[in-house]
Amino acid sequence: MSTIVVDTAAKHNQHGGVRAGAGRKARIAGPKIVKRIPVSLIPAVEHLMNQLVATPLRPAQHLPADCWKIADNLTRLNIPLATETIPAGFPSPAEPYISDYLDFNQYLIKNQAATIAVRCGGDSMQDAGISRNDLLIIDRSLTPKHRDIVMADLGNEFTIKRLYKLDNSRIELHSENSSQSYPNFSLKEGDTLAIVGVVTYVIKHIR
């Protein structure tokens, strides 16, 4: 076992004053405690702390009430997958055989324990191919990257937006609908954005 400093609830130091700028700079702002952890976990904990310092993004603690949690034990259903791609313009003769079988559970869900499904409630991402009532597959285990489409918790509402990581560590969430005006969200210094997860697939109802 070893010890590592982690954040906890605020406690005030009652022993003397504090000079501005004095002492060793903390890697993560806020009060600290000493907590014992296995030595083998130190690299993982330090990596997590470095990530928290490097980005204002953080995982959301709450989920929408109407999200669907993927079942722990998924059934398997193999659907025939044709060899040829099918053009949308001019028809072509279909191959008379099947090349493979596709299980949509395996295809759509990479991390079962971290995957949820939600329905899109608006049209702000229409130009990105996401329309109202589309079913979105959200992977909460993925680290959000620049230009990922993400589900975000804004504190009083959830939203689906395009994530932009700009210079000087600024974070913005952009709408994509050229036919209507939808707001973008820009995080100011000190703001913390909670990311529910990254949108990996969009499922549309055609008929």
Side-chain angles (χ1 to χ4, degrees):
M1 300 288 287
S2 182
T3 59
I4 193 164
V5 176
V6 298
D7 287 337
T8 185
K11 293 182 179 179
H12 297 289
N13 186 346
Q14 299 177 353
H15 301 286
V18 178
R19 279 190 302 112
R24 187 173 56 183
K25 300 296 187 296
R27 296 175 66 188
I28 300 179
K32 310 292 188 295
I33 63 169
V34 175
K35 190 173 184 64
R36 295 173 64 84
I37 65 169
V39 172
S40 60
L41 292 182
I42 289 179
V45 173
E46 289 184 339
H47 175 70
L48 176 60
M49 293 173 69
N50 289 334
Q51 284 187 318
L52 292 174
V53 171
T55 174
L57 301 179
R58 62 180 175 86
Q61 300 302 311
H62 304 287
L63 296 177
D66 57 350
C67 77
W68 301 351
K69 178 70 170 62
I70 304 301
D72 291 333
N73 297 313
L74 299 180
T75 58
R76 188 174 184 85
L77 179 63
N78 290 325
I79 305 297
L81 178 64
T83 304
E84 295 294 318
T85 58
I86 308 301
F90 298 95
S92 63
E95 293 289 342
Y97 55 85
I98 301 300
S99 69
D100 200 355
Y101 287 86
L102 182 65
D103 177 11
F104 279 97
N105 283 336
Q106 185 177 17
Y107 183 76
L108 296 175
I109 302 171
K110 306 305 180 186
N111 189 329
Q112 182 176 332
T115 302
I116 60 173
V118 299
R119 287 204 180 275
C120 181
D123 300 309
S124 67
M125 295 299 291
Q126 186 171 294
D127 292 351
I130 300 176
S131 304
R132 186 185 300 270
N133 290 325
D134 284 352
L135 188 62
L136 308 179
I137 304 298
I138 311 284
D139 191 331
R140 304 190 69 200
S141 69
L142 296 178
T143 300
K145 299 179 181 178
H146 176 63
R147 290 192 57 80
D148 274 347
I149 296 178
V150 299
M151 180 177 179
D153 181 357
L154 300 179
N156 58 350
E157 64 177 324
F158 294 94
T159 188
I160 303 294
K161 291 288 183 286
R162 179 87 66 182
L163 174 68
Y164 282 84
K165 294 184 176 181
L166 307 176
D167 295 338
N168 58 38
S169 300
R170 285 193 303 119
I171 299 294
E172 292 185 354
L173 296 175
H174 286 201
S175 300
E176 294 187 10
N177 187 331
S178 57
S179 64
Q180 299 183 52
S181 178
Y182 287 93
N184 297 328
F185 299 92
S186 180
L187 274 77
K188 303 183 295 295
E189 185 176 355
D191 290 345
T192 303
L193 173 66
I195 297 293
V196 175
V198 177
V199 178
T200 53
Y201 291 96
V202 181
I203 302 174
K204 291 181 173 292
H205 184 76
I206 302 299
R207 179 180 179 184

